[in-house]
Amino acid sequence: MLVLKCLEMSSLGQLKMILPDRAYAFFSHTHKAQKENMPLLDKILEERVSLFDYELIVGDDGKRLLAFGKFAGRAGLIDFLHGLGQRYLSLGYSTPFLSLGQSHMYPSLAAAKAAVIAVGEEIATFGLPSGISPIVFIFTGDGNVSQGAQEIFKLLPHTFVEAEKLPEISAVDYYAHPEHYNPVFHERIAPYASVIVNCMYWERRFPRLLSIDHLKQLMKNGCPLVGISDITCDVGGSIEFVDKSTSIERPFFRYNPSTNSYHDDMEALDVIEKAGGSFHLVRCDVGQSIDDMSYSELEVGADDADNLDRIIDTLTSLAKDHDGDPNARKETEISLEIGKVNGCRTDDTMDKGGPKVLILGAGRVCRPAAEFLASSPNTFACGANDNNACQVHVIVASLYQKDSEETVDGIKNATATQLDVTDTERLSDLVSQVEVVVSLLPASCHASIARLKKHMVTASYVDESMSKLSQAAECAGVTILCEMGLDPGIDHMMAMKMIDEAHARQGKIKAFTSFCGGLPSPAAANNPLAYKFSWSPAGAIRAGKNPAVFKFLGEIIHVDGNTLFDSAKRLRLPELPAFALEHLPNRNSLIYGELYGISKEASTVYRATLRYEGFCEIMAILSKIGWFDAVDHPLLQGNNHPTYRSFLHELLNFNNISTTATNDEASGGHDDDLISRLLILGHCKEKEIAIKTVKTIKFLGLNEETRIPKDCSSAFDVICQRMEQKMAYEDNEQDMVLLHHEIEVEYADGRPKEKHQATLLEFGKVEDGRSTTAMALTVGIPAAIGAQLLLQNKVQRKGVIRPLEPEVYIPALEILESSGIKLMERVQT
């Protein structure tokens, strides 16, 4: 059991700071008479000190004027998420939480939130291990501490579920006579919790939230609880077994309810390092479930025999501690053996003949890549008498064996294997036995893989860490082909084909424009916004409000993120007359002028994101109304939240409008009121747009006479929760990818100007009962094509490269078209 305990503000180490006959103002935590804080109160009385306790300063209404509760909640949950990643790793699961630091490591709250958002985006894109999903967080209390903790939690992909409503009881009677009540938390809620974030107010006269006996029974019954973030500072309080505080240096301890024993996370590796020893990981096998044993084998060394003996004695004692209860499942077994230990085993899947490609990661993109490579034609150098050796063999490696097996199911010449990429020795062993590595892991993992000096393909952008490896890769004769997906990827290849062909005809590029979007198919675009979210709406909305810069007719144009939706323009494509589209600028277009070598000749360089027409206009209006305001709203504090309709009226600032209409028959008049208000406030310039906006508001349920959930503290929370509920893909709905380039070519010899266009349109597919998204196809297949080109030695350039050279993009585009992903090209003069 992983436990984070809030650091006590009034620790004994502070007593010497109390000087006689002084006046102090701080949070003392003494008014609840907790025994661990009484020495501080004694010291204050002894030294004749005047104490102004912030916690007891209240206004005329009796409410506290000063509180750090929200910050305690924010910091507490950030620290706990950091520890949760470490705890899951010790259980055999690698999660995005590993990249999160402790709260004190960030220079500001904004920086800490940005780190949590990055974790959330990684979860939304790649998911969490099936063995631990879903992770259920339980929040107790509804005060500032709980609100602060939930504020951080809501930056992650999540769904709030209302607990079963408890029988209506009198809160006044509970606080007056707590002895009349028995706790039910351990029966009704805790059995389903993965994490409990404890923020509740508690005094010793109240029943405990969880007792030691409660926890023992929960764990005996197979409760999935892995950790508790206790931000209450109530030692031995509402959670009985939390009997001590933690420190910044050691913010966690582990608790074994079976033996009622505590461990300060001091395990084998900590013992070795603290004693000045060294270790070498020889073998590591991670069990695929909580019931499977994980096994690791270490070589341990020390400067002298005495020090090594001390380390062995400590490890032996640690092993005995874990074996204290013969009836309990052993979490760790340590066997000690002095002498030479065999090296890491070789996976027998590597014994298969023929060229081999290792794909790291088993997400949605992986299967199209694996299917393509495993069916590649016999075009590889091999023995004339061994046709099978000419086939590409694909190894799909994932942290979870089950995910790998599901990915390769039914694919000939494909093998599944388990791999934790942080196990550098096992990773190096696998990589050494293949010709090419395709990394579909998060971008942060690529550099460590690239350092193994093997041909490699990724669909990720080239970041600074990868750029620094280019010279080393070039010296090693290795090609690291990055940005080989859709965007980036196919967009690069289409652009360079068009630009190089124009230059070959002695033409000059006057304008380059590019449009790309992942959209629902027309049949799935069945809501007023004509859009569906495949990940967190919060992340998608934030991404749609990034500032942008581009060049238009020689002028550098900057677009502020707050007005990005207002900058959208319509787009009509002759090849796709049925699609009514619009575009908005996509971040920094200028860098593409440099990449494509046209920055000096092109007066226009513009890249944009595509949406169906009307999306940006309505999103801009929703933003003006205030729905994207992430600041806590006064009406959404406490328990008595308003209805959606009342909150909408508050945002529109009209209190004279009747709110009595509560059914469909009576809602027409209210629609007219909303339309008029949008026009009066200037949010909409035309009545037609106001009508569309009201339809969107109604579709999202933002005018319903139901109360807003308690977990929403801002307008942004409300609309994100509604979008997540109303705008998700159904199981039978397909997505669509649309990529469109246009270049204007000018000739010095008087030939007429030309406009060249290239368009890619791809829809998600269902084959043999298996659904594949268009996004997975257009990212996975280009990455696989890159691996095939490296296998065939068709890419001679070494180092870290993008698909900008003819030796890459010419064969890649040809293979892409032969695979069914076709480009439509046309020329206008």
Side-chain angles (χ1 to χ4, degrees), residues 39-50:
L40 175 61
L41 185 58
D42 292 339
K43 180 71 172 179
I44 289 171
L45 296 174
E46 177 185 338
E47 300 293 350
R48 302 175 302 283
V49 163
S50 296

Side-chain angles (χ1 to χ4, degrees), residues 97-341:
F97 299 121
L98 284 170
S99 65
L100 196 62
Q102 290 180 254
S103 59
H104 71 275
M105 298 169 64
Y106 297 104
S108 66
L109 176 61
K113 284 187 172 182
V116 178
I117 289 170
V119 170
E121 290 177 349
E122 189 170 345
I123 292 173
T125 303
F126 299 99
L128 288 168
S130 58
I132 63 174
S133 297
I135 301 178
V136 181
F137 278 67
I138 303 295
F139 290 88
T140 67
D142 56 7
N144 285 334
V145 175
S146 185
Q147 291 176 28
Q150 292 182 50
E151 178 184 328
I152 298 301
F153 175 77
K154 284 186 284 190
L155 301 175
L156 303 172
H158 66 277
T159 299
F160 272 89
V161 179
E162 289 288 338
E164 181 184 0
K165 290 188 176 180
L166 300 176
E168 297 295 329
I169 58 175
S170 167
V172 175
D173 183 66
Y174 172 77
Y175 287 108
H177 302 285
E179 68 276 6
H180 295 167
Y181 296 88
N182 294 317
V184 296
F185 181 83
H186 66 289
E187 297 174 345
R188 299 186 183 181
I189 298 176
Y192 310 101
S194 305
V195 171
I196 296 174
V197 184
N198 189 29
C199 314
M200 67 182 291
Y201 177 83
W202 186 84
E203 295 180 18
R204 294 197 179 275
R205 60 196 182 96
F206 297 139
R208 282 192 167 93
L209 190 71
L210 278 180
S211 68
I212 292 174
D213 290 338
H214 291 159
L215 190 62
K216 285 183 178 181
Q217 189 60 44
L218 284 170
M219 304 314 290
K220 183 178 180 181
N221 294 339
C223 173
L225 188 65
V226 295
I228 293 175
S229 178
D230 185 16
I231 316 177
T232 67
C233 287
D234 294 328
V235 174
S238 55
I239 298 180
E240 184 178 15
F241 67 87
V242 181
D243 71 340
K244 56 184 175 180
S245 300
T246 57
S247 65
I248 290 177
E249 293 77 15
R250 304 196 72 84
F252 303 96
F253 65 84
R254 290 188 301 106
Y255 173 71
N256 186 339
S258 299
T259 60
N260 194 28
S261 58
Y262 298 81
H263 304 277
D264 287 318
D265 242 12
M266 187 68 172
E267 295 296 353
L269 301 186
D270 299 305
V271 168
I272 297 167
E273 290 187 340
K274 187 174 182 179
S278 62
F279 64 87
H280 171 67
L281 182 63
V282 175
R283 179 180 174 185
C284 183
D285 296 327
V286 179
Q288 296 303 301
S289 75
I290 196 169
D291 296 320
D292 293 336
M293 179 172 290
S294 297
Y295 171 85
S296 59
E297 187 174 312
L298 302 175
E299 284 182 353
V300 181
D303 293 337
D304 57 70
D306 290 340
N307 194 24
L308 182 59
D309 288 340
R310 283 192 293 272
I311 293 174
I312 292 174
D313 290 342
T314 307
L315 291 176
T316 303
S317 176
L318 179 63
K320 290 180 179 179
D321 287 343
H322 279 284
D323 199 22
D325 184 353
N327 297 317
R329 179 181 178 272
K330 298 175 185 177
E331 290 189 0
T332 304
E333 291 184 356
I334 301 176
S335 62
L336 304 173
E337 185 175 321
I338 300 176
K340 185 176 181 180
V341 185

Side-chain angles (χ1 to χ4, degrees), residues 493 497 789 805-816:
M493 296 187 283
K497 177 178 181 292
L789 295 178
E805 301 298 329
E807 67 172 356
V808 179
Y809 72 71
I810 290 178
L813 289 175
E814 290 176 352
I815 298 170
L816 197 66

